[in-house]
Amino acid sequence: MEKSRIDLPIGVTLDRFIKSKESEYPSAVGAFSQLLRDIALAAKVVNRELNKAGLIDIMGNVGNYNAGGDEQKKLDILANTRFIRALSKGGEVCGIISEESESFVDLENDGKYIVALDPLDGSSNIDVNVSVGTIFSIYKRITTINTALTETDFLQKGKYQIAAGYILYGPSSMLVFTTGNGVNGFTYEPSLGEFVLSNPNIYCNEEGNIYSINEGLSNSIIDLKVKKYIQNCKDNEYTARYIGSLVADFHRNLLKGGIYLYPATTKYPNGKLRLMFESNALAFVIEQAGGKATNGEMDILDIQPTTIHHTSPLYIGSKNMVNSLS
Ligand code: AHG
Ligand code: MN
Ligand code: MN
């Protein structure tokens, strides 16, 4: 059955959008709305800090490595701290996992929601003033409220997300998210300090002609069908576009039609991208926009994570492009 889409004018603020959604969907409780507001607030704070990068000493490496083996940047830590602070204060979130933390954080409150975060995506691009992002997923907790959280609360399939989205810090910054009823994009208006609706009901064309992959990895791609697919893109003179910030690459393909590929390689035999911090959220968004996301064999949203830092190949974007890979 065709889902009803929210019909609000361009320019409406995120706050009004959230309020109007509450009345349209009585099951959406105030706590969930507040959680979305907390995310928007953290996004504004991170946006402010990123705008100062280059002027103050927040670029460069910290000298530590995160659980996925990436060298942490100062801004990874800063974004992580800002988001965790905003989410902890609200009281709606009881547990957080982050790409930058080894294991889960139990906030020991009676909040109903679990959040998974990639606080700063594409962080290697920040030192050269190129777009970066934040990716988030929201789930309901599984264990009983007021008991200790367990891994079960976090290791949920992507199909159980109740909301997900990303913030793109670019020439203008955007918040794009879904609560399972289509995808809406909000652009940050710095003089108002507000996110305003700019891209209602985003739809991803079923066909596209952009392909996004790190072609430096061509010789180490394990799956032959991916190699063939890339050759096919070249035979058809598709356009290659790869920024190296997943959020930015994904956002462009969402709006213009295209496919993003991060296959299994000899260096990353299970793929590089993190299911719980990157792939699940974007898979929920793309499916709600009419696109598709797989690991080459099954839908991303059906994968059972075995660890918090589970990785998998990712093929995501226009439906027919992703289908022709399988
Ligand atoms: P992060 O900065 O959160 O570690 O993510 C980096 C990811 C993703 O944003 C990007 O698409 C991909 O890594 C780039 O990887 P390659 O440099 O291997 O192409
Ligand atoms: Mn990332
Ligand atoms: Mn990151």
Side-chain angles (χ1 to χ4, degrees):
M1 196 178 71
E2 178 67 14
K3 288 177 182 169
S4 69
R5 296 293 194 226
I6 293 162
D7 187 19
L8 284 169
I10 285 176
V12 74
T13 62
L14 176 66
D15 214 46
R16 273 196 63 192
F17 179 93
I18 291 172
K19 273 202 192 96
S20 98
K21 193 166 74 66
E22 262 183 350
S23 55
E24 207 164 310
Y25 305 101
S27 62
V29 290
F32 178 60
S33 300
Q34 187 53 43
L35 169 48
L36 291 174
R37 288 190 194 98
D38 292 343
I39 287 176
L41 175 64
K44 289 179 201 176
V45 174
V46 171
N47 184 64
R48 188 188 64 199
E49 303 297 325
L50 291 175
N51 284 340
K52 289 188 285 192
L55 296 174
I56 53 174
D57 183 29
I58 52 173
M59 300 210 301
N61 298 329
V62 186
N64 290 334
Y65 290 80
N66 67 19
D70 306 320
E71 184 156 26
Q72 287 179 314
K73 302 267 176 191
K74 290 180 193 168
L75 278 163
D76 284 323
I77 308 293
L78 190 140
N80 194 40
T81 311
R82 293 290 188 259
F83 270 89
I84 290 181
R85 193 179 291 165
L87 293 170
S88 314
K89 273 191 185 158
E92 298 82 24
V93 177
C94 59
I96 301 175
I97 47 172
S98 160
E99 185 202 350
E100 301 306 332
S101 311
E102 194 79 42
S103 55
F104 65 80
V105 179
D106 186 342
L107 295 172
E108 297 180 358
N109 62 22
D110 58 2
K112 295 189 184 74
Y113 301 105
I114 298 285
V115 175
L117 274 179
D118 179 352
L120 200 65
D121 172 67
S123 50
S124 66
N125 274 329
I126 190 68
D127 290 352
V128 288
N129 200 14
V130 170
S131 299
V132 292
T134 295
I135 308 175
F136 62 91
S137 294
I138 304 174
Y139 300 81
K140 282 195 176 142
R141 79 174 286 172
I142 291 177
T143 52
T144 316
I145 288 178
N146 287 327
T147 59
L149 292 172
T150 70
E151 279 217 325
T152 328
D153 290 302
F154 297 92
L155 297 181
Q156 300 191 43
K157 291 182 182 176
K159 68 179 176 185
Y160 298 122
Q161 291 170 104
I162 57 165
Y166 57 88
I167 298 109
L168 172 64
Y169 309 100
S172 58
S173 292
M174 287 192 72
L175 167 64
V176 176
F177 70 95
T178 181
T179 53
N181 188 36
V183 179
N184 291 284
F186 298 80
T187 298
Y188 185 57
E189 219 296 11
S191 64
L192 297 175
E194 297 267 18
F195 283 101
V196 298
L197 184 63
S198 53
N199 298 61
N201 301 323
I202 296 174
Y203 176 74
C204 180
N205 282 333
E206 290 186 359
E207 299 287 355
N209 68 353
I210 298 175
Y211 73 108
S212 307
I213 184 168
N214 180 347
E215 289 224 47
L217 304 173
S218 294
N219 291 344
S220 56
I221 294 173
I222 293 168
D223 192 340
L224 273 181
K225 66 177 184 283
V226 179
K227 288 188 175 185
K228 276 192 194 150
Y229 184 79
I230 296 166
Q231 189 53 50
N232 181 58
C233 292
K234 291 177 178 169
D235 293 344
N236 286 293
E237 296 189 359
Y238 284 1
T239 296
R241 289 283 183 273
Y242 191 76
I243 295 169
S245 291
L246 173 61
V247 166
D249 283 310
F250 173 85
H251 183 72
R252 180 199 50 244
N253 295 351
L254 171 69
L255 296 187
K256 295 206 174 268
I259 183 170
Y260 176 97
L261 310 96
Y262 209 111
T265 61
T266 42
K267 184 174 176 193
Y268 298 108
N270 299 315
K272 175 184 178 188
L273 297 178
R274 289 137 285 218
L275 183 64
M276 304 236 49
F277 307 123
E278 293 167 321
S279 306
N280 271 341
L282 302 185
F284 191 19
V285 170
I286 204 77
E287 289 206 358
Q288 284 293 316
K292 187 162 174 153
T294 77
N295 65 356
E297 281 160 16
M298 62 193 289
D299 283 355
I300 289 290
L301 297 180
D302 287 328
I303 299 175
Q304 175 62 55
T306 50
T307 67
I308 286 167
H309 295 275
H310 189 120
T311 61
S312 83
L314 176 65
Y315 309 105
I316 188 164
S318 295
K319 191 182 253 173
N320 293 346
M321 295 181 90
V322 176
N323 278 339
S324 58
L325 244 177
S326 315

